[in-house]
Amino acid sequence: MATGRGRILQQHLPGLQPLGWPLRGGGAGRGSAGPAVGRAGASRFRMPSEILLKIFSYLDAVSLLCTGCVNRRLYHLANDNFIWIRIYSASFPPKRSNWKFNSIEETAVSLSALSVEDKEAGYWKTEYIARQMASVKATLAQVLKPVNPYTGLPVKTREALRKSGLGWAIILKEKNGKEYVMKHADLSINDTSVTVVWYGKSWPCLASLSTLELYGLTPVFMDWCKPPTRDRPRWHSLITKYHLSHLTESNLIGCDRLVRVFCLHPGLLVGLWKKEEELAFVMANLHFHHLVERSTLGSASVPFEPPAHSPYLDDSPECGLHGYQLHVDLHSGGVFFLCGTFHNLFIKKGIIENGYVKLIIINFKNDREHLPLIGKVGFSWRTDVFDGCIKSCFIMDITLLDEYGRPFWCFSSPVCMRPTTPSDGPSFLGQTYHVEYVDTEGQVHVELVWIEETEEFFVVSLVLYLSIGKINHWFGTKY
């Protein structure tokens, strides 16, 4: 098949080149002289559509889609239903029947082939892509079925990310509508989250930008026996949209001698060069909970919405909520400062303040519960030119499970330590700091102490404040 395709291309090469078709190894970028010459020559050496369709019939689905991106004429020709129904039938053959006469599936395909001209152009291409995407999603759903009882998250998330070829991109939009697409430059997989980084030398001017959109990219056609390639067509799934006008001093979480870093919820970190006030890097922190679904099941304009939640009834309303489990990671640049799991946590029903219930993880007054942070704490960043470390920042991953072991509240976000004044509780021999995180579902409050003698931080208090609205919605209660 490949030999025949190459022979046909060689026979008709003089006709393809005037069309400006970007042949392998000789394609020209937008705005270059090559396509312009090709368009001028196309009017004099216009290859008949019948010959092009014959050539297209030897191409696979990926090559056919890429060919359709060259120009309008090739796009319409590459939508030919006779070509795509053969590709569809080869990839999704009808089920075999033991009966001598044709099965219902075979008859249906035959009728579809007979009436292929009645379908609008591109119908079978659309059907083929839809079946391929459904196959990819079904395979991922099977991979993600086993759940880790300690984290409540899928056991094989790493395997799913690797096998699916899932990647991420950001689209920067200017106020005049112009878009810049950037694929991730660096990626690290943590225990319960993924850190994705973009950097480079060709950032657009920050003053001209209005929004930043984060997308998951999934190969449309997946061969599970081969590693995915970067040039395959990919499905775009919108995850979150950020407004860059929110890059204000109130969102500044730290700086060093080269950059200032800002946090945009949920989980986005934007680094700006101090001198030029232009983009240096962008980092997205994505928690494993529903990560694959959010990165694959959305569309280019609408994010994935998880299925409607059915409340788990609270069986002991007098005693409040119990049996919670928390897993917390504090990390940066692949270095973990704290990894802790806390079991059998409970909330007393009477402790409700300002619409939140208080869940104490590490008690300020109990010295035996205090935990040290391992290593030199700080947020490590790098670009293709410089790197650095911001001492007051790191990434916090929170995974809170309910009494049934199901994820109740999960997030991954950059946070910063800020100096605080001594409280009325026990006094410590060192400077005290606090870390705050707030979203619509709850708050996290952490207190730390710097011990000068051992040169390390100790977590002396860790408290979660859970929204009453979230609890009532989750458990069907009316607190």
Side-chain angles (χ1 to χ4, degrees):
M1 180 68 73
T3 304
R5 185 191 312 166
R7 185 178 298 116
I8 289 177
L9 287 175
Q10 288 178 358
Q11 292 173 357
H12 299 287
L13 185 61
L16 292 175
Q17 288 174 332
L19 280 175
W21 198 2
L23 300 177
R24 184 173 299 177
R30 288 186 180 181
S32 62
V37 175
R39 287 193 294 271
S43 60
R44 292 179 294 149
F45 305 102
R46 190 173 182 85
M47 180 177 290
S49 297
E50 293 79 6
I51 297 179
L52 286 175
L53 288 174
K54 181 64 175 178
I55 296 172
F56 289 177
S57 67
Y58 288 93
L59 300 180
D60 57 22
V62 175
S63 302
L64 202 56
L65 284 177
C66 294
T67 301
C69 296
V70 175
N71 58 38
R72 186 174 298 178
R73 184 191 178 204
L74 295 187
Y75 171 78
H76 289 297
L77 290 175
N79 278 349
D80 185 79
N81 278 330
F82 284 101
I83 296 176
W84 280 104
I85 197 172
R86 286 204 298 268
I87 296 176
Y88 182 95
S89 302
S91 300
F92 306 105
K95 297 179 180 179
R96 293 182 177 179
S97 173
N98 293 327
W99 299 94
K100 293 183 179 180
F101 57 84
N102 289 341
S103 64
I104 296 176
E105 292 86 351
E106 290 172 331
T107 304
V109 172
S110 301
L111 291 175
S112 298
L114 290 174
S115 60
V116 66
E117 291 182 344
D118 298 335
K119 303 293 185 181
E120 61 182 5
Y123 172 83
W124 283 106
K125 180 181 79 170
T126 304
E127 288 293 307
Y128 177 76
I129 293 175
R131 284 288 300 270
Q132 286 284 359
M133 288 300 301
S135 175
V136 171
K137 293 172 182 177
T139 304
L140 288 176
Q142 286 297 118
V143 173
L144 296 172
K145 258 189 175 181
V147 175
N148 188 326
Y150 297 101
T151 63
L153 303 173
V155 175
K156 298 183 178 180
T157 299
R158 291 171 181 262
E159 179 181 342
L161 296 178
R162 177 180 55 82
K163 294 181 66 174
S164 67
L166 179 61
W168 292 270
I170 55 175
I171 296 182
L172 299 165
K173 292 189 176 182
E174 289 188 343
K175 298 171 184 177
N176 61 10
K178 187 176 181 180
E179 297 182 352
Y180 299 86
V181 181
M182 300 185 66
K183 294 184 179 180
H184 70 260
D186 198 4
L187 172 69
S188 60
I189 301 178
N190 310 306
D191 288 348
T192 57
S193 69
V194 173
T195 302
V196 192
V197 184
W198 295 264
Y199 55 79
K201 300 177 182 178
S202 56
W203 292 100
C205 179
L206 179 61
S208 66
L209 299 177
S210 59
T211 60
L212 183 154
E213 295 178 352
L214 174 62
Y215 288 87
L217 303 180
T218 311
V220 176
F221 309 131
M222 178 58 62
D223 186 348
W224 296 95
C225 299
K226 300 178 181 178
T229 56
R230 295 178 64 90
D231 57 349
R232 281 180 171 264
R234 292 178 179 266
W235 175 267
H236 285 61
S237 175
L238 177 63
I239 298 177
T240 314
K241 182 177 180 178
Y242 302 90
H243 293 276
L244 296 179
S245 59
H246 295 166
L247 291 178
T248 60
E249 293 297 326
S250 61
N251 292 321
L252 178 66
I253 64 171
C255 64
D256 60 12
R257 64 185 182 88
L258 293 176
V259 299
R260 300 198 303 162
V261 291
F262 298 80
C263 178
L264 296 180
H265 290 297
L268 191 75
L269 195 68
V270 179
L272 301 183
W273 297 115
K274 266 188 173 181
K275 188 176 181 180
E276 296 87 2
E277 283 296 321
E278 293 294 343
L279 290 170
F281 61 88
V282 173
M283 174 186 290
N285 300 279
L286 306 171
H287 196 279
F288 277 174
H289 183 48
H290 284 158
L291 172 60
V292 176
E293 294 87 342
R294 288 185 293 148
S295 302
T296 59
L297 301 184
S299 70
S301 57
V302 181
F304 163 77
E305 285 290 338
H309 172 71
S310 299
Y312 306 108
L313 297 180
D314 180 17
D315 57 356
S316 55
E318 294 83 6
C319 300
L321 301 174
H322 57 84
Y324 280 87
Q325 178 177 317
L326 175 70
H327 184 81
V328 56
D329 290 328
L330 305 181
H331 62 93
S332 175
V335 178
F336 285 77
F337 313 121
L338 175 66
C339 295
T341 301
F342 305 87
H343 302 274
N344 299 322
L345 306 173
F346 65 92
I347 300 174
K348 294 181 179 179
K349 184 179 177 182
I351 307 179
I352 300 178
E353 299 177 358
N354 301 321
Y356 293 92
V357 294
K358 188 176 182 180
L359 180 60
I360 300 176
I361 313 299
I362 296 178
N363 195 326
F364 190 83
K365 299 180 179 180
N366 189 345
D367 296 349
R368 291 177 297 177
E369 296 182 358
H370 300 171
L371 297 175
L373 300 187
I374 308 301
K376 184 177 291 186
V377 178
F379 167 71
S380 300
W381 63 270
R382 75 182 184 91
T383 67
D384 47 358
V385 180
F386 299 103
D387 57 26
C389 182
I390 301 176
K391 296 181 180 179
S392 60
C393 305
F394 49 81
I395 308 300
M396 175 188 289
D397 296 344
I398 291 290
T399 307
L400 181 64
L401 310 180
D402 63 15
E403 59 183 295
Y404 303 98
R406 306 191 183 189
F408 177 80
W409 183 31
C410 303
F411 69 83
S412 177
S413 176
V415 293
C416 68
M417 298 185 297
R418 303 186 187 277
T420 186
T421 56
S423 63
D424 297 333
S427 58
F428 296 96
L429 300 176
Q431 174 66 50
T432 58
Y433 297 83
H434 72 277
V435 173
E436 301 284 351
Y437 173 84
V438 181
D439 65 21
T440 57
E441 299 187 2
Q443 303 178 16
V444 179
H445 178 80
V446 184
E447 292 192 33
L448 306 99
V449 174
W450 172 252
I451 305 300
E452 190 69 36
E453 295 180 356
T454 57
E455 295 186 344
E456 59 184 345
F457 286 97
F458 269 81
V459 178
V460 297
S461 176
L462 174 57
V463 180
L464 272 58
Y465 296 88
L466 307 181
S467 167
I468 288 294
K470 167 73 174 180
I471 292 177
N472 289 337
H473 171 72
W474 193 262
F475 292 103
T477 53
K478 295 182 179 179
Y479 291 155

